[in-house]
Amino acid sequence: MIKEKLIRARKDKKFSQLDIAEHLNISQTQYLRKEKGEIEIKDDEWERIAKLLDIEVDEIKEEDSSRINQFFDVSGEYKNSYIGSNNNYCNIPEFLLESQREYMEILKQEIQQLKEKVSQLENQNK
């Protein structure tokens, strides 16, 4: 659940996501995920953010009731037919991915060379 009250208060006070992230000693990306509701904002973090914004916690805090409601219908019965996404997305810089691809190619070549050596040794022992 997007933290609309928090976002509105942060923008009203002219704070960037990076400002809040640095105050919490986390990355801007991690803070963004907290604002989007992907990561829980802990009580102590709510307090620190409220203090930085010079407002009361209840002016910005929104409960994550949507996560509970995803699994229970209005009668409180558990919904076992819930269809959701378990996809987790990470922003990995392309240069890291490329270096990993290159490393995997090197490992594939080394594996092939080792297989050839094993095959040669087996043929010598026959």
Side-chain angles (χ1 to χ4, degrees):
M1 176 170 121
I2 295 177
K3 311 292 188 220
E4 294 174 13
K5 289 170 34 176
L6 173 58
I7 294 168
R8 191 175 322 112
R10 176 179 58 76
K11 289 180 178 179
D12 287 348
K13 299 285 186 167
K14 308 284 191 250
F15 281 95
S16 69
Q17 289 178 337
L18 183 59
D19 294 329
I20 306 290
E22 287 177 348
H23 184 71
L24 296 175
N25 295 318
I26 60 175
S27 69
Q28 185 270 334
T29 304
Q30 191 173 10
Y31 177 74
L32 169 65
R33 293 183 65 205
K34 288 178 180 280
E35 270 192 0
K36 291 168 78 177
E38 295 173 4
I39 299 176
E40 176 189 7
I41 300 176
K42 295 180 177 37
D43 288 338
D44 67 311
E45 292 173 323
W46 281 116
E47 292 172 19
R48 291 172 61 193
I49 294 168
K51 187 174 181 178
L52 178 66
L53 298 176
D54 195 30
I55 57 178
E56 296 296 319
V57 172
D58 61 349
E59 293 180 55
I60 57 171
K61 187 173 181 178
E62 297 173 54
E63 297 298 325
D64 278 339
S65 61
S66 64
R67 289 181 186 247
I68 294 168
N69 292 337
Q70 288 176 340
F71 299 101
F72 294 90
D73 63 19
V74 289
S75 68
E77 294 293 319
Y78 179 73
K79 290 192 279 187
N80 61 2
S81 62
Y82 172 73
I83 299 173
S85 172
N86 290 327
N87 295 334
N88 292 319
Y89 297 96
C90 300
N91 293 327
I92 300 173
E94 187 61 35
F95 75 92
L96 287 178
L97 292 174
E98 187 57 36
S99 69
Q100 293 299 303
R101 286 185 197 108
E102 291 171 2
Y103 186 62
M104 288 188 325
E105 192 58 40
I106 291 168
L107 290 174
K108 286 177 185 177
Q109 291 172 0
E110 288 180 4
I111 289 170
Q112 185 59 38
Q113 290 170 353
L114 289 171
K115 284 181 179 179
E116 290 171 4
K117 284 183 181 180
V118 167
S119 178
Q120 288 173 356
L121 290 172
E122 286 175 346
N123 288 336
Q124 287 176 355
N125 291 334
K126 287 185 179 180

